[in-house]
Amino acid sequence: MEKKMSVRVAAAQIAPDLTSREKTLARVLDAIREAATKGAELIVFPETFVPWYPYFSFVLPPVLSGKEHVRLYEEAVTVPSAATDAVSAAAREHGIVVALGVNERDHGSLYNAQLLFDADGTLLLKRRKITPTFHERMIWGQGDASGLKVVDSAVGRLGALACWEHYNPLARYALMAQHEDIHIAQFPGSMVGPIFADQMEVTIRHHALESGCFVVNATGWLTDEQIASIAPDAGLQKALRGGCMTAIISPEGKHVVPPLTEGEGILIADLDMSLIVKRKRMMDSVGHYARPELLHLVMDGRATAPMVTTTQPSLPTAEARTLSDGEYDTSADRDSDQRIAVLRSPAR
């Protein structure tokens, strides 16, 4: 695929509908349509935007959060489903790449998932946040490294991380080593206050500089009415304000357009892709500036599973386990010490 020299991107800072997955999804489809009419080739939505980020878990004690947690299960997204089909169809209709954060339901667990749809509607990537942060651990399960990959799209090579995954330097390096052109960053927004927005800005600007890529970051927005519905206690409501930094950053660590820190809106910017080479000519963290013989990353990219089936014998025969010099080979004993349960079928 020939590399594009200019890409128009969009970052959406909009409010979810806290009552319904379908109503939030309608807002997503409207934003896709609006961005596409403005010529955007990529649009990024906030973290777990569909059906909504679990703000309740940040302000309510666990003993009081059960009802909202169950409701999140009921409104969460399965992949694939009618909800993902609708986003895929919109991406295809408008010829736009879509990065959408969802609460993914997989049977009895929820996950913080990032979905990347190509401009033809193909689901390029579904990845799960590898470590939910603080209160989020009561809500979501853990992802694995199988989703730490960069994918080719109509707008270039895309990588994605959610929120404080950006504080995991090895997770970021895994994407850098795969040469992302545009990094997708997603945060919840409307939390913690201005300090969260300040920290977020430092984080995404640093990643752009270190990776030599563009960063498109989207954060969510809550209205005063929504904040009151989540936290009737006025003393807790301040915890659900501020913390918005929807921004588009160049490989030189600069804002391409002024960031959006309050209210709803969609940022639009044209990315000059030649700036990637301009930055990496000076400093390529995974190329001429790296020292892999001294420091390198080893990543286990296998997908984890609670059960694996096999048709192999549980243990090799005695003859097979005896080495040529008559000593006993204990490697099979070591190999059998695994972290996951293995269901073994009888040998045929």
Side-chain angles (χ1 to χ4, degrees), residues 4-70:
K4 297 172 70 70
M5 295 310 297
S6 179
V7 176
R8 179 165 290 187
V9 300
Q13 181 167 294
I14 54 179
D17 188 302
L18 298 179
T19 68
S20 162
R21 174 185 64 238
E22 297 307 316
K23 291 180 180 179
T24 298
L25 182 60
R27 296 186 178 188
V28 168
L29 300 180
D30 286 344
I32 291 173
R33 188 179 307 109
E34 178 182 345
T37 61
K38 295 177 179 178
E41 301 165 86
L42 164 70
I43 183 169
V44 178
F45 290 92
E47 181 181 11
T48 60
F49 188 69
V50 181
W52 51 77
Y53 178 84
Y55 291 102
F56 66 88
S57 64
F58 189 59
V59 294
L60 296 181
V63 71
L64 298 180
S65 65
K67 181 179 178 181
E68 283 302 305
H69 197 181
V70 169

Short mmCIF file of all heavy atoms in Angstrom, two decimals, residues 4-70:
data_model
loop_
_atom_site.label_atom_id
_atom_site.label_comp_id
_atom_site.label_asym_id
_atom_site.label_seq_id
_atom_site.Cartn_x
_atom_site.Cartn_y
_atom_site.Cartn_z
N LYS A 4 0.44 7.47 2.31
CA LYS A 4 -0.19 8.76 2.08
C LYS A 4 0.72 9.85 2.64
O LYS A 4 1.33 9.68 3.70
CB LYS A 4 -1.56 8.80 2.76
CG LYS A 4 -2.55 7.80 2.20
CD LYS A 4 -3.83 7.75 3.03
CE LYS A 4 -4.66 9.01 2.88
NZ LYS A 4 -5.28 9.13 1.55
N MET A 5 0.80 10.97 1.96
CA MET A 5 1.63 12.08 2.42
C MET A 5 0.85 13.03 3.33
O MET A 5 1.43 13.80 4.08
CB MET A 5 2.20 12.84 1.23
CG MET A 5 3.17 12.00 0.41
SD MET A 5 4.43 11.16 1.41
CE MET A 5 5.30 12.56 2.11
N SER A 6 -0.48 12.96 3.25
CA SER A 6 -1.31 13.79 4.12
C SER A 6 -2.54 13.00 4.51
O SER A 6 -3.15 12.33 3.68
CB SER A 6 -1.73 15.08 3.40
OG SER A 6 -2.55 15.88 4.23
N VAL A 7 -2.89 13.06 5.79
CA VAL A 7 -4.06 12.35 6.31
C VAL A 7 -4.87 13.32 7.16
O VAL A 7 -4.33 13.97 8.06
CB VAL A 7 -3.65 11.13 7.16
CG1 VAL A 7 -4.89 10.45 7.77
CG2 VAL A 7 -2.85 10.13 6.34
N ARG A 8 -6.16 13.40 6.87
CA ARG A 8 -7.04 14.24 7.70
C ARG A 8 -7.67 13.36 8.78
O ARG A 8 -8.29 12.33 8.48
CB ARG A 8 -8.12 14.91 6.86
CG ARG A 8 -9.07 15.77 7.68
CD ARG A 8 -9.91 16.70 6.82
NE ARG A 8 -9.06 17.76 6.24
CZ ARG A 8 -9.55 18.80 5.55
NH1 ARG A 8 -10.85 18.91 5.34
NH2 ARG A 8 -8.72 19.71 5.07
N VAL A 9 -7.52 13.77 10.04
CA VAL A 9 -8.00 12.96 11.16
C VAL A 9 -8.97 13.77 12.03
O VAL A 9 -8.98 15.01 11.99
CB VAL A 9 -6.82 12.46 12.03
CG1 VAL A 9 -5.88 11.60 11.21
CG2 VAL A 9 -6.07 13.63 12.66
N ALA A 10 -9.74 13.04 12.81
CA ALA A 10 -10.72 13.65 13.71
C ALA A 10 -10.62 12.98 15.08
O ALA A 10 -10.37 11.78 15.18
CB ALA A 10 -12.13 13.50 13.16
N ALA A 11 -10.81 13.77 16.12
CA ALA A 11 -10.86 13.27 17.49
C ALA A 11 -12.14 13.79 18.14
O ALA A 11 -12.35 15.01 18.19
CB ALA A 11 -9.63 13.71 18.29
N ALA A 12 -12.99 12.89 18.60
CA ALA A 12 -14.32 13.25 19.09
C ALA A 12 -14.33 13.37 20.61
O ALA A 12 -13.95 12.42 21.31
CB ALA A 12 -15.36 12.24 18.64
N GLN A 13 -14.75 14.50 21.12
CA GLN A 13 -15.00 14.68 22.55
C GLN A 13 -16.50 14.94 22.70
O GLN A 13 -16.97 16.06 22.57
CB GLN A 13 -14.19 15.83 23.13
CG GLN A 13 -14.41 16.03 24.64
CD GLN A 13 -13.37 16.95 25.24
OE1 GLN A 13 -12.19 16.63 25.29
NE2 GLN A 13 -13.81 18.11 25.72
N ILE A 14 -17.23 13.87 22.94
CA ILE A 14 -18.69 13.96 23.06
C ILE A 14 -19.13 13.17 24.28
O ILE A 14 -18.38 12.37 24.82
CB ILE A 14 -19.40 13.45 21.79
CG1 ILE A 14 -18.94 12.03 21.46
CG2 ILE A 14 -19.13 14.38 20.62
CD1 ILE A 14 -19.64 11.44 20.23
N ALA A 15 -20.37 13.43 24.69
CA ALA A 15 -20.92 12.75 25.86
C ALA A 15 -21.62 11.46 25.43
O ALA A 15 -22.30 11.44 24.40
CB ALA A 15 -21.91 13.66 26.58
N PRO A 16 -21.48 10.40 26.21
CA PRO A 16 -22.26 9.20 25.94
C PRO A 16 -23.70 9.42 26.39
O PRO A 16 -24.01 10.45 27.01
CB PRO A 16 -21.57 8.15 26.80
CG PRO A 16 -21.11 8.93 28.00
CD PRO A 16 -20.67 10.27 27.43
N ASP A 17 -24.57 8.48 26.10
CA ASP A 17 -25.89 8.45 26.71
C ASP A 17 -25.83 7.41 27.82
O ASP A 17 -25.60 6.23 27.55
CB ASP A 17 -26.96 8.09 25.68
CG ASP A 17 -28.37 8.25 26.23
OD1 ASP A 17 -28.68 7.59 27.25
OD2 ASP A 17 -29.15 9.02 25.66
N LEU A 18 -25.98 7.85 29.05
CA LEU A 18 -25.80 6.96 30.20
C LEU A 18 -26.97 6.03 30.44
O LEU A 18 -26.98 5.28 31.42
CB LEU A 18 -25.53 7.78 31.46
CG LEU A 18 -24.26 8.65 31.43
CD1 LEU A 18 -24.12 9.42 32.74
CD2 LEU A 18 -23.02 7.80 31.18
N THR A 19 -27.95 6.04 29.54
CA THR A 19 -29.14 5.19 29.73
C THR A 19 -29.19 4.02 28.77
O THR A 19 -29.93 3.07 29.01
CB THR A 19 -30.44 6.00 29.56
OG1 THR A 19 -30.58 6.42 28.19
CG2 THR A 19 -30.43 7.23 30.46
N SER A 20 -28.41 4.06 27.67
CA SER A 20 -28.63 3.06 26.63
C SER A 20 -27.43 2.93 25.71
O SER A 20 -26.88 3.92 25.24
CB SER A 20 -29.86 3.46 25.80
OG SER A 20 -29.91 2.80 24.57
N ARG A 21 -27.03 1.68 25.46
CA ARG A 21 -25.99 1.42 24.47
C ARG A 21 -26.41 1.93 23.10
O ARG A 21 -25.62 2.54 22.37
CB ARG A 21 -25.72 -0.09 24.39
CG ARG A 21 -24.74 -0.46 23.27
CD ARG A 21 -24.57 -1.97 23.12
NE ARG A 21 -25.82 -2.60 22.72
CZ ARG A 21 -26.43 -3.56 23.40
NH1 ARG A 21 -25.93 -4.01 24.53
NH2 ARG A 21 -27.57 -4.09 22.97
N GLU A 22 -27.67 1.67 22.73
CA GLU A 22 -28.12 2.06 21.39
C GLU A 22 -28.10 3.57 21.21
O GLU A 22 -27.78 4.06 20.12
CB GLU A 22 -29.53 1.50 21.14
CG GLU A 22 -29.58 -0.02 21.14
CD GLU A 22 -28.57 -0.65 20.18
OE1 GLU A 22 -28.45 -0.15 19.05
OE2 GLU A 22 -27.89 -1.61 20.58
N LYS A 23 -28.42 4.32 22.25
CA LYS A 23 -28.41 5.78 22.13
C LYS A 23 -26.98 6.31 22.05
O LYS A 23 -26.72 7.27 21.33
CB LYS A 23 -29.17 6.39 23.30
CG LYS A 23 -30.68 6.14 23.24
CD LYS A 23 -31.40 6.78 24.42
CE LYS A 23 -32.91 6.52 24.34
NZ LYS A 23 -33.63 7.11 25.50
N THR A 24 -26.07 5.70 22.80
CA THR A 24 -24.67 6.10 22.66
C THR A 24 -24.15 5.74 21.28
O THR A 24 -23.44 6.52 20.65
CB THR A 24 -23.80 5.43 23.74
OG1 THR A 24 -24.23 5.85 25.04
CG2 THR A 24 -22.34 5.81 23.58
N LEU A 25 -24.52 4.55 20.80
CA LEU A 25 -24.09 4.13 19.47
C LEU A 25 -24.59 5.09 18.40
O LEU A 25 -23.87 5.40 17.44
CB LEU A 25 -24.60 2.72 19.20
CG LEU A 25 -24.21 2.10 17.85
CD1 LEU A 25 -22.69 2.00 17.71
CD2 LEU A 25 -24.85 0.73 17.69
N ALA A 26 -25.81 5.60 18.58
CA ALA A 26 -26.35 6.58 17.62
C ALA A 26 -25.47 7.82 17.59
O ALA A 26 -25.25 8.42 16.52
CB ALA A 26 -27.79 6.93 17.99
N ARG A 27 -24.94 8.24 18.74
CA ARG A 27 -24.05 9.41 18.79
C ARG A 27 -22.74 9.11 18.07
O ARG A 27 -22.16 9.99 17.42
CB ARG A 27 -23.80 9.82 20.23
CG ARG A 27 -25.07 10.29 20.95
CD ARG A 27 -24.78 10.82 22.34
NE ARG A 27 -26.02 11.29 22.98
CZ ARG A 27 -26.06 11.96 24.13
NH1 ARG A 27 -24.93 12.22 24.79
NH2 ARG A 27 -27.21 12.35 24.64
N VAL A 28 -22.27 7.87 18.19
CA VAL A 28 -21.06 7.47 17.47
C VAL A 28 -21.29 7.56 15.96
O VAL A 28 -20.46 8.12 15.23
CB VAL A 28 -20.66 6.02 17.86
CG1 VAL A 28 -19.59 5.47 16.92
CG2 VAL A 28 -20.16 5.99 19.30
N LEU A 29 -22.39 7.02 15.50
CA LEU A 29 -22.68 7.02 14.06
C LEU A 29 -22.85 8.45 13.53
O LEU A 29 -22.42 8.76 12.42
CB LEU A 29 -23.91 6.18 13.77
CG LEU A 29 -23.80 4.70 14.20
CD1 LEU A 29 -25.09 3.96 13.87
CD2 LEU A 29 -22.61 4.01 13.55
N ASP A 30 -23.48 9.30 14.34
CA ASP A 30 -23.63 10.72 13.94
C ASP A 30 -22.27 11.39 13.82
O ASP A 30 -22.03 12.16 12.88
CB ASP A 30 -24.49 11.47 14.95
CG ASP A 30 -25.97 11.13 14.85
OD1 ASP A 30 -26.38 10.55 13.82
OD2 ASP A 30 -26.72 11.42 15.81
N ALA A 31 -21.38 11.11 14.78
CA ALA A 31 -20.04 11.72 14.75
C ALA A 31 -19.22 11.22 13.57
O ALA A 31 -18.46 11.99 12.96
CB ALA A 31 -19.31 11.45 16.07
N ILE A 32 -19.35 9.94 13.24
CA ILE A 32 -18.66 9.40 12.07
C ILE A 32 -19.11 10.13 10.82
O ILE A 32 -18.30 10.54 9.98
CB ILE A 32 -18.92 7.88 11.94
CG1 ILE A 32 -18.21 7.11 13.08
CG2 ILE A 32 -18.45 7.36 10.58
CD1 ILE A 32 -18.56 5.63 13.12
N ARG A 33 -20.42 10.29 10.71
CA ARG A 33 -20.98 10.98 9.53
C ARG A 33 -20.49 12.43 9.46
O ARG A 33 -20.08 12.91 8.40
CB ARG A 33 -22.50 10.93 9.61
CG ARG A 33 -23.22 11.42 8.36
CD ARG A 33 -24.73 11.31 8.53
NE ARG A 33 -25.14 9.96 8.92
CZ ARG A 33 -25.60 9.63 10.12
NH1 ARG A 33 -25.72 10.56 11.07
NH2 ARG A 33 -25.94 8.38 10.40
N GLU A 34 -20.51 13.12 10.60
CA GLU A 34 -20.08 14.52 10.62
C GLU A 34 -18.60 14.66 10.26
O GLU A 34 -18.22 15.53 9.46
CB GLU A 34 -20.33 15.12 12.00
CG GLU A 34 -19.87 16.56 12.13
CD GLU A 34 -20.09 17.15 13.53
OE1 GLU A 34 -20.84 16.55 14.32
OE2 GLU A 34 -19.49 18.20 13.81
N ALA A 35 -17.77 13.79 10.83
CA ALA A 35 -16.33 13.86 10.54
C ALA A 35 -16.06 13.57 9.07
O ALA A 35 -15.22 14.22 8.43
CB ALA A 35 -15.58 12.89 11.42
N ALA A 36 -16.79 12.59 8.53
CA ALA A 36 -16.58 12.21 7.13
C ALA A 36 -16.96 13.35 6.19
O ALA A 36 -16.30 13.58 5.17
CB ALA A 36 -17.36 10.95 6.80
N THR A 37 -18.03 14.07 6.53
CA THR A 37 -18.44 15.20 5.67
C THR A 37 -17.40 16.31 5.67
O THR A 37 -17.36 17.12 4.74
CB THR A 37 -19.80 15.78 6.12
OG1 THR A 37 -19.69 16.27 7.46
CG2 THR A 37 -20.90 14.72 6.05
N LYS A 38 -16.55 16.32 6.70
CA LYS A 38 -15.48 17.31 6.77
C LYS A 38 -14.17 16.78 6.19
O LYS A 38 -13.12 17.40 6.32
CB LYS A 38 -15.27 17.76 8.21
CG LYS A 38 -16.49 18.49 8.78
CD LYS A 38 -16.29 18.88 10.24
CE LYS A 38 -17.51 19.62 10.78
NZ LYS A 38 -17.37 19.97 12.22
N GLY A 39 -14.25 15.62 5.57
CA GLY A 39 -13.09 15.06 4.89
C GLY A 39 -12.19 14.19 5.74
O GLY A 39 -11.12 13.79 5.28
N ALA A 40 -12.60 13.87 6.98
CA ALA A 40 -11.75 13.06 7.85
C ALA A 40 -11.63 11.64 7.32
O ALA A 40 -12.60 11.05 6.85
CB ALA A 40 -12.30 13.05 9.27
N GLU A 41 -10.41 11.10 7.40
CA GLU A 41 -10.14 9.73 6.98
C GLU A 41 -9.97 8.79 8.18
O GLU A 41 -9.86 7.58 8.02
CB GLU A 41 -8.88 9.70 6.13
CG GLU A 41 -8.97 10.57 4.88
CD GLU A 41 -7.61 10.79 4.26
OE1 GLU A 41 -7.18 9.94 3.47
OE2 GLU A 41 -6.97 11.82 4.59
N LEU A 42 -9.91 9.35 9.36
CA LEU A 42 -9.79 8.60 10.62
C LEU A 42 -10.51 9.37 11.70
O LEU A 42 -10.37 10.59 11.78
CB LEU A 42 -8.30 8.44 11.01
CG LEU A 42 -8.00 8.02 12.46
CD1 LEU A 42 -8.43 6.57 12.70
CD2 LEU A 42 -6.51 8.21 12.78
N ILE A 43 -11.29 8.66 12.52
CA ILE A 43 -11.90 9.30 13.69
C ILE A 43 -11.65 8.43 14.91
O ILE A 43 -11.72 7.20 14.85
CB ILE A 43 -13.42 9.53 13.50
CG1 ILE A 43 -13.99 10.27 14.72
CG2 ILE A 43 -14.17 8.24 13.20
CD1 ILE A 43 -15.41 10.78 14.53
N VAL A 44 -11.31 9.09 16.02
CA VAL A 44 -11.01 8.42 17.28
C VAL A 44 -12.03 8.84 18.33
O VAL A 44 -12.30 10.04 18.49
CB VAL A 44 -9.58 8.76 17.76
CG1 VAL A 44 -9.29 8.10 19.11
CG2 VAL A 44 -8.55 8.33 16.72
N PHE A 45 -12.59 7.85 19.04
CA PHE A 45 -13.54 8.09 20.13
C PHE A 45 -12.88 7.79 21.48
O PHE A 45 -11.83 7.15 21.54
CB PHE A 45 -14.76 7.19 19.94
CG PHE A 45 -15.63 7.58 18.77
CD1 PHE A 45 -15.43 7.00 17.52
CD2 PHE A 45 -16.63 8.54 18.90
CE1 PHE A 45 -16.21 7.37 16.43
CE2 PHE A 45 -17.41 8.92 17.82
CZ PHE A 45 -17.20 8.33 16.59
N PRO A 46 -13.48 8.25 22.59
CA PRO A 46 -12.87 8.07 23.91
C PRO A 46 -12.84 6.61 24.38
O PRO A 46 -13.45 5.72 23.78
CB PRO A 46 -13.77 8.92 24.83
CG PRO A 46 -14.48 9.86 23.91
CD PRO A 46 -14.67 9.13 22.62
N GLU A 47 -12.17 6.41 25.48
CA GLU A 47 -12.04 5.09 26.11
C GLU A 47 -13.41 4.55 26.51
O GLU A 47 -14.23 5.27 27.09
CB GLU A 47 -11.13 5.22 27.35
CG GLU A 47 -10.89 3.91 28.08
CD GLU A 47 -10.00 4.09 29.31
OE1 GLU A 47 -9.75 5.25 29.72
OE2 GLU A 47 -9.55 3.07 29.85
N THR A 48 -13.65 3.30 26.22
CA THR A 48 -14.89 2.57 26.55
C THR A 48 -16.13 3.45 26.38
O THR A 48 -17.02 3.49 27.23
CB THR A 48 -14.85 1.98 27.98
OG1 THR A 48 -14.69 3.01 28.95
CG2 THR A 48 -13.76 0.95 28.12
N PHE A 49 -16.20 4.13 25.26
CA PHE A 49 -17.28 5.09 25.05
C PHE A 49 -18.65 4.42 24.91
O PHE A 49 -19.67 5.00 25.27
CB PHE A 49 -16.98 5.93 23.80
CG PHE A 49 -17.93 7.07 23.59
CD1 PHE A 49 -17.93 8.15 24.46
CD2 PHE A 49 -18.84 7.05 22.55
CE1 PHE A 49 -18.82 9.20 24.30
CE2 PHE A 49 -19.74 8.09 22.36
CZ PHE A 49 -19.73 9.17 23.25
N VAL A 50 -18.66 3.21 24.37
CA VAL A 50 -19.92 2.47 24.23
C VAL A 50 -19.95 1.34 25.24
O VAL A 50 -19.04 0.51 25.26
CB VAL A 50 -20.08 1.91 22.80
CG1 VAL A 50 -21.40 1.18 22.66
CG2 VAL A 50 -19.99 3.03 21.75
N PRO A 51 -20.95 1.23 26.12
CA PRO A 51 -22.06 2.19 26.22
C PRO A 51 -21.67 3.47 26.97
O PRO A 51 -22.21 4.52 26.71
CB PRO A 51 -23.11 1.42 26.99
CG PRO A 51 -22.32 0.50 27.87
CD PRO A 51 -21.13 0.10 27.04
N TRP A 52 -20.69 3.34 27.92
CA TRP A 52 -20.17 4.49 28.65
C TRP A 52 -19.02 4.01 29.53
O TRP A 52 -18.89 2.82 29.82
CB TRP A 52 -21.25 5.15 29.54
CG TRP A 52 -21.97 4.16 30.42
CD1 TRP A 52 -21.53 3.58 31.59
CD2 TRP A 52 -23.27 3.60 30.19
NE1 TRP A 52 -22.46 2.71 32.10
CE2 TRP A 52 -23.54 2.70 31.27
CE3 TRP A 52 -24.25 3.77 29.19
CZ2 TRP A 52 -24.74 1.97 31.36
CZ3 TRP A 52 -25.43 3.04 29.29
CH2 TRP A 52 -25.66 2.16 30.36
N TYR A 53 -18.16 4.93 29.91
CA TYR A 53 -17.11 4.60 30.87
C TYR A 53 -17.74 4.39 32.24
O TYR A 53 -18.66 5.12 32.62
CB TYR A 53 -16.07 5.73 30.91
CG TYR A 53 -14.96 5.49 31.90
CD1 TYR A 53 -13.84 4.72 31.56
CD2 TYR A 53 -15.01 6.02 33.18
CE1 TYR A 53 -12.83 4.49 32.47
CE2 TYR A 53 -14.00 5.80 34.10
CZ TYR A 53 -12.92 5.03 33.74
OH TYR A 53 -11.91 4.79 34.66
N PRO A 54 -17.26 3.42 33.04
CA PRO A 54 -17.86 3.16 34.36
C PRO A 54 -17.46 4.19 35.42
O PRO A 54 -16.78 3.88 36.41
CB PRO A 54 -17.33 1.75 34.70
CG PRO A 54 -16.03 1.66 34.00
CD PRO A 54 -16.22 2.41 32.70
N TYR A 55 -17.92 5.42 35.21
CA TYR A 55 -17.60 6.49 36.17
C TYR A 55 -18.08 6.15 37.58
O TYR A 55 -17.48 6.57 38.57
CB TYR A 55 -18.26 7.80 35.72
CG TYR A 55 -17.68 8.40 34.47
CD1 TYR A 55 -18.33 8.26 33.24
CD2 TYR A 55 -16.50 9.13 34.49
CE1 TYR A 55 -17.81 8.83 32.08
CE2 TYR A 55 -15.97 9.69 33.35
CZ TYR A 55 -16.63 9.54 32.13
OH TYR A 55 -16.11 10.10 30.99
N PHE A 56 -19.17 5.39 37.67
CA PHE A 56 -19.73 5.07 38.98
C PHE A 56 -18.71 4.39 39.88
O PHE A 56 -18.69 4.59 41.10
CB PHE A 56 -20.97 4.18 38.83
CG PHE A 56 -20.69 2.81 38.27
CD1 PHE A 56 -20.34 1.75 39.10
CD2 PHE A 56 -20.78 2.56 36.91
CE1 PHE A 56 -20.07 0.49 38.60
CE2 PHE A 56 -20.52 1.30 36.39
CZ PHE A 56 -20.15 0.26 37.23
N SER A 57 -17.81 3.60 39.28
CA SER A 57 -16.85 2.85 40.09
C SER A 57 -15.79 3.75 40.71
O SER A 57 -15.10 3.33 41.64
CB SER A 57 -16.18 1.77 39.23
OG SER A 57 -15.41 2.36 38.20
N PHE A 58 -15.66 4.96 40.20
CA PHE A 58 -14.68 5.90 40.74
C PHE A 58 -15.21 6.64 41.97
O PHE A 58 -14.43 7.07 42.82
CB PHE A 58 -14.29 6.91 39.66
CG PHE A 58 -13.13 7.79 40.03
CD1 PHE A 58 -11.90 7.24 40.35
CD2 PHE A 58 -13.26 9.17 40.05
CE1 PHE A 58 -10.82 8.05 40.69
CE2 PHE A 58 -12.19 9.98 40.39
CZ PHE A 58 -10.97 9.42 40.71
N VAL A 59 -16.53 6.78 42.07
CA VAL A 59 -17.09 7.58 43.16
C VAL A 59 -17.95 6.78 44.13
O VAL A 59 -18.28 7.27 45.22
CB VAL A 59 -17.91 8.76 42.59
CG1 VAL A 59 -17.00 9.74 41.87
CG2 VAL A 59 -19.02 8.28 41.67
N LEU A 60 -18.34 5.56 43.77
CA LEU A 60 -19.16 4.75 44.66
C LEU A 60 -18.34 3.63 45.28
O LEU A 60 -17.50 3.02 44.60
CB LEU A 60 -20.34 4.12 43.89
CG LEU A 60 -21.39 5.05 43.30
CD1 LEU A 60 -22.48 4.23 42.59
CD2 LEU A 60 -22.01 5.93 44.37
N PRO A 61 -18.55 3.31 46.55
CA PRO A 61 -17.88 2.16 47.14
C PRO A 61 -18.40 0.87 46.52
O PRO A 61 -19.53 0.83 46.02
CB PRO A 61 -18.24 2.26 48.63
CG PRO A 61 -19.51 3.04 48.66
CD PRO A 61 -19.44 3.99 47.52
N PRO A 62 -17.60 -0.20 46.52
CA PRO A 62 -18.03 -1.44 45.88
C PRO A 62 -19.38 -1.95 46.35
O PRO A 62 -20.17 -2.46 45.55
CB PRO A 62 -16.91 -2.42 46.26
CG PRO A 62 -15.71 -1.56 46.44
CD PRO A 62 -16.23 -0.28 47.04
N VAL A 63 -19.69 -1.78 47.63
CA VAL A 63 -20.95 -2.31 48.16
C VAL A 63 -22.16 -1.60 47.55
O VAL A 63 -23.27 -2.15 47.55
CB VAL A 63 -20.96 -2.20 49.70
CG1 VAL A 63 -21.10 -0.76 50.16
CG2 VAL A 63 -22.06 -3.08 50.30
N LEU A 64 -21.97 -0.41 47.00
CA LEU A 64 -23.07 0.34 46.41
C LEU A 64 -23.07 0.32 44.88
O LEU A 64 -23.94 0.92 44.27
CB LEU A 64 -23.04 1.80 46.89
CG LEU A 64 -23.21 2.03 48.40
CD1 LEU A 64 -23.14 3.52 48.70
CD2 LEU A 64 -24.52 1.44 48.90
N SER A 65 -22.09 -0.34 44.29
CA SER A 65 -21.94 -0.26 42.83
C SER A 65 -22.52 -1.45 42.08
O SER A 65 -22.48 -1.48 40.85
CB SER A 65 -20.45 -0.11 42.47
OG SER A 65 -19.74 -1.28 42.83
N GLY A 66 -23.07 -2.42 42.80
CA GLY A 66 -23.54 -3.64 42.16
C GLY A 66 -24.59 -3.40 41.09
O GLY A 66 -24.52 -3.97 39.99
N LYS A 67 -25.56 -2.57 41.37
CA LYS A 67 -26.64 -2.33 40.41
C LYS A 67 -26.11 -1.73 39.12
O LYS A 67 -26.49 -2.16 38.01
CB LYS A 67 -27.68 -1.39 41.04
CG LYS A 67 -28.87 -1.09 40.13
CD LYS A 67 -29.87 -0.18 40.83
CE LYS A 67 -31.04 0.15 39.91
NZ LYS A 67 -32.02 1.06 40.57
N GLU A 68 -25.22 -0.74 39.23
CA GLU A 68 -24.67 -0.12 38.03
C GLU A 68 -23.72 -1.05 37.29
O GLU A 68 -23.64 -1.02 36.05
CB GLU A 68 -23.94 1.18 38.40
CG GLU A 68 -24.86 2.35 38.68
CD GLU A 68 -25.77 2.66 37.49
OE1 GLU A 68 -25.23 2.88 36.38
OE2 GLU A 68 -26.99 2.66 37.66
N HIS A 69 -23.04 -1.90 38.04
CA HIS A 69 -22.13 -2.86 37.40
C HIS A 69 -22.94 -3.85 36.56
O HIS A 69 -22.59 -4.15 35.41
CB HIS A 69 -21.33 -3.60 38.47
CG HIS A 69 -20.11 -4.29 37.93
ND1 HIS A 69 -19.27 -5.02 38.73
CD2 HIS A 69 -19.60 -4.38 36.67
CE1 HIS A 69 -18.29 -5.53 38.00
NE2 HIS A 69 -18.47 -5.15 36.74
N VAL A 70 -24.03 -4.34 37.11
CA VAL A 70 -24.90 -5.27 36.37
C VAL A 70 -25.49 -4.58 35.14
O VAL A 70 -25.58 -5.17 34.05
CB VAL A 70 -26.02 -5.81 37.28
CG1 VAL A 70 -27.08 -6.55 36.47
CG2 VAL A 70 -25.43 -6.73 38.35
#
